[in-house]
Amino acid sequence: MLPFSLKRDGIALRAFEPTDVHALYAYLNDPALEGRRYLPDGFPDLAPLSARHVEGILEHWQKESESWTLAVVDTTSGALLGHVRADWEWDPHCPSACVVIAPAQQRRGIGSAVLAVALAFLFEETPAHVVSGWVASWNEPALAFALHNRFSEAGRQPRGGLHAGSFYSHVALDLLRGEWTAMRERRYVA
Amino acid sequence: MSLEGKLVVLREERREDQRLFADLRNDLDTQAWPKGLPPDYTEEMHIKRLETREFSYERDSARLAIVEKASGRLAGFVSYTGEQHRLSASIGIVVSREFWGTGIGFDAQEVLLGFLFDELGLREVHLWTHSGISKAIALAGRSGFVECIRLRESVFKNGRLLDGVVMSLLREDYYARHTDKVDRLPKVA
């Protein structure tokens, strides 16, 4: 079964459509998501986004060839819950993944479910050996989320930016194929 | 004032530099990343890249030729990319094999760092390398860089799995090593 066929706990993944612009605009502009929107380069991660910005983001995502960004949706209501991204543009040996869930939808297990899809895609459909992820050091929930999903902290690059009056670091995380395989096997046994 | 060290001058790259730059890119020892392969880059490709550059004040990267002062010979290049203005940038250095062990790489790196901290006012400079390039790690260490990230087995090169390594140098650590300089840039955090 291909990883995109995820339909679990009432969530599904699908391609973004132009009609998603309003729902995407709404959750990307949630103040709780500022600084952790995981947008393409050139789009502001802190300032409010305009509808034109969001159209540009959708257009950018739809042109990707060595990465994908998919919409996370509620299968019952069709509501947009977030986005998940896998990127192997630098080197398919060491791609990266990220998950963004609308603040109102967090802490329901959605992020872990869609991260599992991204990892299954990268490890089963591409020659990835290790998958990395990056979070800002102030984003403690994201760091806890990554560690909960068996990523290991690879270190911290200082002064990634300023947040609330202090410098923060870029925290690097990685997950080796062997660790992912072992994790999957343990889950099947359990 | 030019970008001048004890052994080198850093200057803008020129058309006549591009032969060596293509050679360095095609040398598996000086080309650190598999992304840069295969080693079939030509001088013409490099000249085209150089000549299609546009004038701009919106710069976040640069490549500067390293010229040995004593001989006037081209020795390689230094670069910085991804500059976040007044905050950080990533640097790179490539030195032609014949200049290895002469101190030119270190001097060029120091001149570049002086530019980034004194002129661009950066608060942090970092570099990406991998565990297979002990020379690069040692060279960075000589300028005060410390390893801050090690991404396990994220590089496959020369038939080996290697760790991706990020090394970082903070502004205050740079000035602490250069006691002849005074950092007059106010702290922001």
Side-chain angles (χ1 to χ4, degrees):
Chain A
M1 188 168 69
L2 286 173
F4 297 124
S5 57
L6 170 87
K7 274 195 179 178
R8 198 170 76 191
D9 303 328
I11 57 172
L13 299 182
R14 63 161 170 76
F16 274 102
E17 299 289 348
T19 50
D20 290 319
V21 66
H22 297 298
L24 185 59
Y25 174 91
Y27 83 72
L28 288 181
N29 275 312
D30 188 319
L33 216 54
E34 280 195 359
R36 48 183 180 153
R37 295 165 171 159
Y38 288 87
L39 300 179
D41 288 344
F43 293 95
D45 205 26
L46 279 175
L49 295 164
S50 68
R52 186 65 63 87
H53 277 131
V54 177
E55 287 170 1
I57 291 163
L58 281 175
E59 189 178 337
H60 181 99
W61 284 344
Q62 285 165 356
K63 286 180 180 170
E64 292 173 323
S65 61
E66 293 181 294
S67 60
W68 48 248
T69 305
L70 295 175
V72 183
V73 294
D74 184 310
T75 51
T76 305
S77 66
L80 184 63
L81 307 175
H83 59 270
V84 56
R85 175 177 174 78
D87 183 343
W88 58 100
E89 189 272 338
W90 168 256
D91 185 347
H93 176 81
C94 55
S96 63
C98 72
V99 173
V100 176
I101 301 298
Q105 304 295 336
Q106 292 177 3
R107 307 196 67 78
R108 292 174 48 198
I110 298 170
S112 291
V114 296
L115 177 61
V117 172
L119 294 175
F121 171 81
L122 290 168
F123 284 126
E124 293 185 342
E125 308 296 328
T126 83
H129 176 68
V130 57
V131 175
S132 65
W134 295 80
V135 302
S137 56
W138 56 264
N139 191 358
E140 292 174 6
L143 186 55
F145 167 79
L147 297 175
H148 173 74
N149 283 284
R150 298 293 186 266
F151 278 75
S152 298
E153 184 172 327
R156 297 179 177 222
Q157 182 200 319
R159 302 195 178 166
L162 282 150
H163 179 74
S166 301
F167 284 118
Y168 67 85
S169 301
H170 289 307
V171 184
L173 301 123
D174 62 14
L175 177 69
L176 292 165
R177 173 178 285 270
E179 294 169 342
W180 176 80
T181 304
M183 181 172 67
R184 291 259 293 201
E185 287 170 354
R186 278 199 301 275
R187 282 186 181 164
Y188 284 132
V189 169
Chain B
M1 188 177 80
S2 60
L3 294 177
E4 186 172 345
K6 292 176 183 153
L7 303 174
V8 305
V9 170
L10 304 184
R11 62 154 171 77
E12 81 287 354
E13 56 178 313
R14 298 172 184 166
R15 185 184 175 95
E16 60 266 28
D17 301 333
Q18 304 307 313
R19 175 69 265 159
L20 178 65
F21 291 175
D23 289 345
L24 293 173
R25 188 177 289 280
N26 290 337
D27 183 330
L28 295 180
D29 285 333
T30 51
Q31 172 53 262
W33 304 105
K35 180 78 173 175
L37 301 178
D40 66 347
Y41 294 89
T42 64
E43 181 180 10
E44 289 71 28
M45 288 177 187
H46 281 253
I47 290 171
K48 188 172 180 183
R49 181 197 60 80
L50 176 68
E51 293 187 342
T52 53
R53 287 173 53 196
E54 299 280 353
F55 179 91
S56 173
Y57 284 127
E58 303 301 321
R59 301 284 302 280
D60 65 359
S61 65
R63 183 155 78 168
L64 298 162
I66 305 170
V67 177
E68 185 187 35
K69 281 165 67 172
S71 67
R73 287 191 303 158
L74 183 65
F77 63 85
V78 291
S79 63
Y80 67 89
T81 56
E83 183 205 357
Q84 296 185 68
H85 301 311
R86 304 296 185 186
L87 185 62
S88 65
S90 179
I91 68 163
I93 180 166
V94 181
V95 173
S96 181
R97 198 182 294 267
E98 65 183 295
F99 290 96
W100 290 4
T102 64
I104 276 181
F106 174 70
D107 195 44
Q109 181 171 266
E110 285 292 314
V111 176
L112 177 64
L113 289 172
F115 170 73
L116 295 174
F117 287 118
D118 294 340
E119 302 296 332
L120 299 189
L122 301 186
R123 268 73 182 197
E124 188 263 357
V125 174
H126 53 272
L127 60 88
W128 281 79
T129 184
H130 61 69
S131 55
I133 316 180
S134 53
K135 277 188 173 66
I137 292 173
L139 178 64
R142 282 185 68 194
S143 287
F145 284 83
V146 293
E147 179 179 319
C148 60
I149 291 175
R150 182 169 283 254
L151 286 160
R152 297 169 297 163
E153 300 180 3
S154 60
V155 179
F156 183 74
K157 189 158 189 319
N158 196 21
R160 293 189 295 159
L161 279 172
L162 303 160
D163 295 338
V165 174
V166 183
M167 300 181 75
S168 173
L169 176 63
L170 299 180
R171 180 178 186 83
E172 56 267 35
D173 293 338
Y174 172 81
Y175 284 98
R177 288 184 63 254
H178 292 269
T179 52
D180 56 319
K181 295 184 176 186
V182 178
D183 182 11
R184 294 193 171 86
L185 186 64
K187 288 187 169 35
V188 293

